[in-house]
Amino acid sequence: MALFRGMWGVLRSLGRTGVEMCAGCGGRIPSPVSLICIPKCFSSLGNYPKKPMSSYLRFSTEQLPKFKAKHPDAKVSELIRKIAAMWRELPEAEKKVYEADFKAEWKVYKEAVSKYKEQLTPSQLMGLEKEARQKRLKKKAQIKRRELILLGKPKRPRSAYNIYVSESFQEAKDESAQGKLKLVNQAWKNLSHDEKQAYIQLAKDDRIRYDNEMKSWEEQMAEVGRSDLIRRSVKRSPGDISEN
């Protein structure tokens, strides 16, 4: 999990340095793997000061281009592992240089935030705090989803309609995704009762698959001390996990 967060942080930090820029508005793309840019004018944060990079992210951002030059065919995840190992072996004296830079920039950042807030009206300040809370919750949810993926949580069961869409979407004769979905939705409505029953049965089978995989997965989570990931509707008894 630490490796995944470190890799994601490094990729995001590259965006902060201006590597990923939107050709339309000049704003930074939120994620190096994203094709969508949210223009600056859509954020109520405006020119809100940007947080400085942590010591490790600063080090990683400096090292990643060097490692990529030496190993052009290597995957980013492999390079991040090498950088992480290099950081662990870095002498404390050199680490302190990065930490000192971070602390100095953090002090400047906090001062800039205070000055920024002083210029806001009470209503603007409330809006700013509300947006900040929403972003924190969104980020927390994203981290949670990534963690569950890394822990191998089974995919949720699909409905009969979703199974039909996944099978028919690419075959729909329309250039836009919205148009394809509209055609598929109409085709689903036109299916006969017997035709829909086939997909309903597939959905039931998928539900059985999900329940079995979840039971096994939750047993594993209980064994490794991650009871917080077990559904509340599931009661645990010694050596067994069963749903209500």
Side-chain angles (χ1 to χ4, degrees), residues 17-65:
T17 61
V19 173
E20 300 290 336
M21 304 294 289
C22 173
C25 68
R28 290 182 177 85
I29 296 177
S31 161
V33 296
S34 174
L35 298 178
I36 302 174
C37 172
I38 302 176
K40 297 176 182 177
C41 57
F42 277 78
S43 174
S44 63
L45 294 176
N47 295 320
Y48 191 85
K50 295 185 182 298
K51 286 185 179 180
M53 288 186 289
S54 67
S55 306
Y56 173 68
L57 285 184
R58 186 188 303 274
F59 174 79
S60 300
T61 304
E62 290 179 0
Q63 296 299 324
L64 188 57

Side-chain angles (χ1 to χ4, degrees), residues 56 59-60 62-64 66-67 70 79-91 94-95 98:
Y56 173 68
F59 174 79
S60 300
E62 290 179 0
Q63 296 299 324
L64 188 57
K66 300 176 183 178
F67 274 77
K70 291 181 180 179
L79 299 181
I80 294 301
R81 290 192 186 94
K82 294 179 182 293
I83 294 173
M86 184 177 179
W87 172 258
R88 287 193 296 269
E89 297 174 3
L90 201 68
E94 294 186 39
K95 284 186 179 180
Y98 288 95

Side-chain angles (χ1 to χ4, degrees), residues 129-144:
E129 292 174 347
K130 180 180 179 181
E131 184 171 343
R133 284 195 300 272
Q134 291 174 339
K135 287 194 172 186
R136 285 196 298 271
L137 291 173
K138 183 177 180 181
K139 184 176 181 179
K140 185 177 180 180
Q142 289 174 337
I143 292 174
K144 186 72 172 181

